[in-house]
Amino acid sequence: GGGTSDKHIRIWNAQNGRQVASVDTKSQVCGLLWNETYGELISGHGYPKNQLTVWRYPQLEQVAELSGHTERILYMSASPDSSTVVSGSADETIRLWKCWEVDEAALKKKMASAQRVAGGTSKSKAKPSMQARGLR
């Protein structure tokens, strides 16, 4: 979905190609993020409101509208714990949005699983050097 004309979020069944849900956002759709913990989508928008909107899935029922940008949302990303979303806009601002509470149990389970996959149980909190992160 998207563009300045369509203004819809559409959910499709990838196996049979049928549309299973749709919502008219009344605003240009610029991006989507999925929150697996809460089963919700967050959409970034352009004209006319330049907002982020949280949607309950599968109903596509609006949960919240986050305003602050004055031009369209260009990108969004979620924090590692999925509680916070960062959005960048054509208005040359970056905003942090605390959208969800951290599910501590799910976070611990994810961390334990990642450690098993990595083959270690180290609890090292060493941070990469500035140079390793591409900063000088």
Side-chain angles (χ1 to χ4, degrees):
T4 55
S5 299
D6 184 55
K7 301 177 183 174
H8 281 74
I9 295 173
R10 301 176 192 279
I11 309 296
W12 300 86
N13 180 320
Q15 293 181 337
N16 63 24
R18 292 192 180 128
Q19 181 177 304
V20 295
S22 175
V23 64
D24 183 354
T25 68
K26 300 181 181 13
S27 187
Q28 176 187 18
V29 179
C30 298
L32 295 171
L33 285 176
W34 171 249
N35 183 296
E36 185 174 353
T37 304
Y38 285 88
E40 293 178 342
L41 288 169
I42 188 164
S43 53
H45 297 272
Y47 179 80
K49 293 184 183 178
N50 309 305
Q51 83 282 13
L52 280 77
T53 306
V54 180
W55 306 92
R56 184 167 291 115
Y57 181 83
Q59 305 91 333
L60 294 181
E61 174 182 288
Q62 184 174 326
V63 175
E65 189 169 281
L66 310 170
S67 300
H69 287 296
T70 59
E71 294 190 32
R72 74 184 175 104
I73 309 297
L74 298 175
Y75 59 87
M76 299 181 301
S77 186
S79 62
D81 66 8
S82 298
S83 68
T84 304
V85 172
V86 62
S87 59
S89 168
D91 64 13
E92 300 182 0
T93 64
I94 295 173
R95 294 184 181 266
L96 296 167
W97 310 89
K98 177 78 171 176
C99 297
W100 297 282
E101 294 297 319
V102 175
D103 181 340
E104 295 292 339
L107 187 59
K108 285 179 185 177
K109 188 175 179 181
K110 188 184 280 188
M111 297 276 290
S113 176
Q115 286 178 348
R116 281 193 302 276
V117 169
T121 57
S122 170
K123 294 188 179 189
S124 170
K125 294 185 180 185
K127 295 181 180 175
S129 70
M130 296 291 272
Q131 203 166 26
R133 288 187 280 172
L135 304 174
R136 295 179 191 244

